[in-house]
């Protein structure tokens, strides 16, 4: 079965950086696009970024463009999100999500909490 | 960006009774490939989201038959035929037709009356 396990969250000061990881299993990771989606405390869902199966195409939400970078290592079945110039409004649970069956975002990880605070 | 608007935002329901959630998009979600990429997600308290319905009306594996999705164009509905205690949570509609970005409804909080 599909498993997505995020890690790397924590507390960081405004202006700081953090790298999130998502370990994928249960499907052929190198064949499928992957997303990051976030959820601020008590709020709804916000799509953050997407990478094509080979990393050749990447899309970002306007709110993170120029600050966040999505990447993947298909040899390690791992997705990453490098977050720079973090702001308090980036505080959220960050979910890794798969795009396996050509019907959009399907499976979700359990999430990792990022808190940006001084 | 496509704006997704859900109603109601709060839905108190008696156990065993039906429930219905509406989702409207700011533009048609019919893709040029003929599909309509409108999905429904369930987020139980303290859990990550789980997809229930994809492409308007297709239930994901393991989703009970009491969940039904319908609609077309810009108007969509999620119906629960008989609400059970395990259905408590927040329900989101999500569109993947005009992306990036994927966009979500505000969420509908279902609670037991």
């Amino acid at each position: 079965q599909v498993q997505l396990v995020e890690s790397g969250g924590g507390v960081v000061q405004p202006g700081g950086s953090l790298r999130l990881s998502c370990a994928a299993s249960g499907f052929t990771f190198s064949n499928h696009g992957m997303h990051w989606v976030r959820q601020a405390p008590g709020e709804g869902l916000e799509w953050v970024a997407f990478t094509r199966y080979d990393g050749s195409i990447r899309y970002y939400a306007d709110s993170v463009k120029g600050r966040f970078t999505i990447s993947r290592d298909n040899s390690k079945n791992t997705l990453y999100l490098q977050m720079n110039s973090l702001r308090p409004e980036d505080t959220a649970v960050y979910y890794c999500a798969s795009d396996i069956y050509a019907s959009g975002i399907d499976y979700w990880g359990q999430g990792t909490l990022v808190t940006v605070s001084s | 960006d496509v704006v997704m608007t859900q109603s109601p935002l709060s839905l108190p329901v008696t156990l065993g009774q039906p429930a219905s959630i509406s989702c409207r998009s700011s533009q048609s979600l019919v893709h040029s490939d003929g599909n309509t990429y409108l999905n429904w997600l369930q987020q139980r308290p303290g859990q990550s989201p789980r997809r229930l319905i994809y492409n308007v009306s297709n239930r994901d594996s393991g989703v009970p038959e009491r969940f039904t999705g319908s609609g077309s164009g810009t108007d969509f509905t999620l119906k629960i035929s008989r609400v059970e205690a395990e259905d408590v949570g927040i329900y989101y509609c999500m569109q993947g037709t005009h992306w990036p970005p994927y966009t979500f409804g505000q969420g509908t909080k279902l609670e037991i009356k």
Side-chain angles (χ1 to χ4, degrees):
Chain A
Q1 70 282 21
V2 173
Q3 275 205 310
L4 302 169
V5 180
E6 301 92 336
S7 61
V11 180
V12 60
Q13 291 190 339
S17 298
L18 211 55
R19 188 177 85 153
L20 307 182
S21 300
C22 170
S25 61
F27 65 106
T28 306
F29 180 75
S30 58
N31 286 354
H32 300 287
M34 294 292 295
H35 301 262
W36 287 99
V37 179
R38 69 184 180 183
Q39 186 172 35
E43 301 294 324
L45 299 165
E46 179 188 16
W47 174 83
V48 172
F50 165 83
T51 175
R52 193 178 163 199
Y53 67 95
D54 59 358
S56 63
I57 293 176
R58 309 177 194 186
Y59 298 124
Y60 298 93
D62 287 345
S63 58
V64 307
K65 204 172 292 183
R67 300 187 299 122
F68 289 12
T69 302
I70 188 171
S71 63
R72 62 193 298 159
D73 186 336
N74 286 344
S75 68
K76 295 182 179 178
N77 288 350
T78 302
L79 177 72
Y80 302 101
L81 186 67
Q82 177 66 44
M83 304 185 296
N84 298 331
S85 302
L86 282 161
R87 305 166 180 168
E89 55 265 35
D90 295 319
T91 294
V93 174
Y94 285 74
Y95 296 103
C96 155
S98 62
D99 194 334
I100 298 174
Y101 296 110
S103 54
I105 294 173
D106 38 40
Y107 295 94
W108 298 66
Q110 88 289 347
T112 186
L113 176 62
V114 172
T115 302
V116 184
S117 173
S118 54
Chain B
D1 298 353
V2 177
V3 177
M4 307 296 289
T5 304
Q6 288 183 229
S7 63
L9 299 185
S10 178
L11 184 57
V13 183
T14 301
L15 285 173
Q17 293 300 301
S20 180
I21 301 170
S22 171
C23 175
R24 289 187 172 175
S25 57
S26 59
Q27 57 184 279
S28 173
L29 297 186
V30 180
H31 194 275
S32 56
D33 66 8
N35 290 311
T36 299
Y37 296 102
L38 184 285
N39 299 342
W40 288 97
L41 311 176
Q42 176 194 60
Q43 187 173 31
R44 290 170 171 156
Q47 295 187 14
S48 58
R50 165 201 181 195
R51 196 177 70 178
L52 297 177
I53 302 284
Y54 65 94
N55 294 7
V56 180
S57 59
N58 298 280
R59 270 187 301 273
D60 275 282
S61 176
V63 174
E65 291 185 1
R66 64 179 182 275
F67 289 93
T68 303
S70 63
S72 63
T74 60
D75 290 338
F76 305 93
T77 303
L78 176 68
K79 291 183 178 177
I80 309 173
S81 58
R82 288 175 299 280
V83 169
E84 298 188 6
E86 66 177 19
D87 299 336
V88 166
I90 302 176
Y91 292 81
Y92 296 93
C93 60
M94 176 187 80
Q95 71 83 24
T97 294
H98 304 289
W99 76 283
Y102 272 86
T103 50
F104 300 86
Q106 316 97 299
T108 295
K109 187 172 185 178
L110 186 150
E111 61 179 20
I112 303 302
K113 202 185 292 182

